[in-house]
Amino acid sequence: MNKILILAGLLLSLSMVAQDRPDPQPAPDTFEKFNVGMAGYTFVNFDLDKTLETLEKCDVKYLCIKDFHLPFKSTDKEIAAFHAKLKAKGVTGYAVGPIYMRSEKEVDDAFEYAKRVGVKLIVGVPNYELLPYVDKKVKEYDFRYAIHLHGPDMKLYPDADDVWNNVKDLDPRIGMCLDIGHDTRNGKDPVKDLKKYHSRVFDIHIKDVTGSTKAGYSVEIGRGIIDIPAFVNMLRKVGYDGVCSLEHERNMKDPFIGIAESIGYFRGVIATTKKK
């Protein structure tokens, strides 16, 4: 009898402890002006189902849509089905791109695609000579256009300074997607660049890199040289209210542990740098 009473007491105690445990807590970015998202390019080797499964496991609610998940020529029915699939996982497609544009027709196609998808932000890479035409289309569609910078790997838009110098006299709805890894690899400081150009930063790709030259390569956030705490604090200081999307470019055929590590580290920084 004593053994039965002891066992019953133990089970009751365990039950009470289990009930006292808090439910899963909201992600730290829930309480910030900015949100944490995912750049679709991260999943270039995977279909939409695997992409959404990963976002769900990481509690990520925002996705920048790439055309390999939703092709340019998708029908209205296919676009509706795409959004329904995202909604079922609690995910919002907040932008499209990056989209490369080398002719006026490709600019036209990109704007019409974004309109049909139902977003008002395009992450684009237009040839320099197309910028006046992009300016015209931004006015026509009332979209924001974020130019994705590419570091030393491309002549087009190597860093934030270059984007700024090319858009500062254009419509204020034309700005940049600040890729903090590529900016760093071109010898720049993304913390300082966010401070300088925040009025034209409409999207951010978060990542980490091993060096501030072309030889630097992408690693999980927290393993490289970028001062992530300083960057998060600058997001708050300038009042950035867009999305910080992880663009994970390491082990891209098996990126899942790296994605989880990077999202976890970034959110840990958000939590630990928050002023009480």
Side-chain angles (χ1 to χ4, degrees), residues 149-151 157-164 182-183 186 188 193:
L149 54 92
H150 278 89
Y157 313 110
D159 54 42
D161 288 336
D162 185 77
V163 176
W164 172 260
H182 291 323
D183 200 46
N186 212 53
K188 304 296 183 177
D193 285 343

Side-chain angles (χ1 to χ4, degrees), residues 18-117:
Q19 290 174 1
D20 288 342
R21 291 173 181 166
D23 292 330
Q25 300 298 297
D29 46 295
T30 301
F31 308 103
E32 303 286 349
K33 287 185 177 180
F34 59 88
N35 291 294
V36 172
M38 195 76 70
Y41 179 68
T42 299
F43 299 97
V44 65
N45 294 307
F46 301 93
D47 63 17
L48 182 62
D49 289 334
K50 188 63 176 178
T51 298
L52 293 176
E53 176 190 326
T54 306
L55 266 65
E56 183 177 35
K57 288 179 177 178
C58 293
D59 196 22
V60 172
K61 306 295 186 184
Y62 298 90
L63 175 68
C64 188
I65 301 165
K66 278 294 289 180
D67 57 292
F68 49 72
H69 285 151
L70 185 63
F72 280 7
K73 294 184 179 180
S74 297
T75 65
D76 291 345
K77 184 177 180 180
E78 289 168 336
I79 292 172
F82 175 89
H83 284 304
K85 185 171 282 192
L86 265 61
K87 185 177 181 180
K89 296 293 186 179
V91 174
T92 298
Y94 74 92
V96 294
I99 302 174
Y100 293 81
M101 304 174 197
R102 300 176 179 86
S103 68
E104 290 188 359
K105 182 182 184 307
E106 289 183 347
V107 175
D108 289 340
D109 291 345
F111 273 83
E112 194 58 28
Y113 171 68
K115 180 180 178 181
R116 293 178 60 238
V117 172

Side-chain angles (χ1 to χ4, degrees), residues 8-22:
L10 179 60
L11 290 174
L12 178 62
S13 175
L14 289 173
S15 174
M16 291 174 66
V17 169
Q19 290 174 1
D20 288 342
R21 291 173 181 166

Side-chain angles (χ1 to χ4, degrees), residues 207-211 217-226 228 248 250-251 257-258 261-262 265:
K207 59 185 64 167
D208 212 341
V209 293
T210 60
Y217 57 88
S218 184
V219 291
E220 290 80 1
I221 294 179
R223 295 195 187 193
I225 66 168
I226 298 177
I228 301 298
H248 187 70
R250 188 182 189 195
N251 300 327
I257 291 176
E261 180 179 337
S262 296
Y265 181 91

Side-chain angles (χ1 to χ4, degrees), residues 111 120 136-144 173:
F111 273 83
K120 299 198 73 174
K136 176 183 175 182
K137 301 302 285 189
V138 163
K139 291 180 171 68
E140 178 184 343
Y141 281 77
D142 189 25
F143 286 175
R144 291 195 301 173
R173 288 166 289 194

Side-chain angles (χ1 to χ4, degrees), residues 190-240:
V191 179
K192 291 180 179 178
D193 285 343
L194 176 60
K195 182 179 181 180
K196 283 193 293 184
Y197 304 132
H198 64 89
S199 65
R200 294 288 187 103
V201 176
F202 302 148
D203 194 32
I204 293 174
H205 281 176
I206 55 172
K207 59 185 64 167
D208 212 341
V209 293
T210 60
S212 57
T213 68
K214 188 174 183 178
Y217 57 88
S218 184
V219 291
E220 290 80 1
I221 294 179
R223 295 195 187 193
I225 66 168
I226 298 177
D227 189 341
I228 301 298
F231 189 79
V232 168
N233 281 326
M234 188 56 69
L235 290 169
R236 296 183 179 119
K237 184 174 181 178
V238 302
Y240 178 71

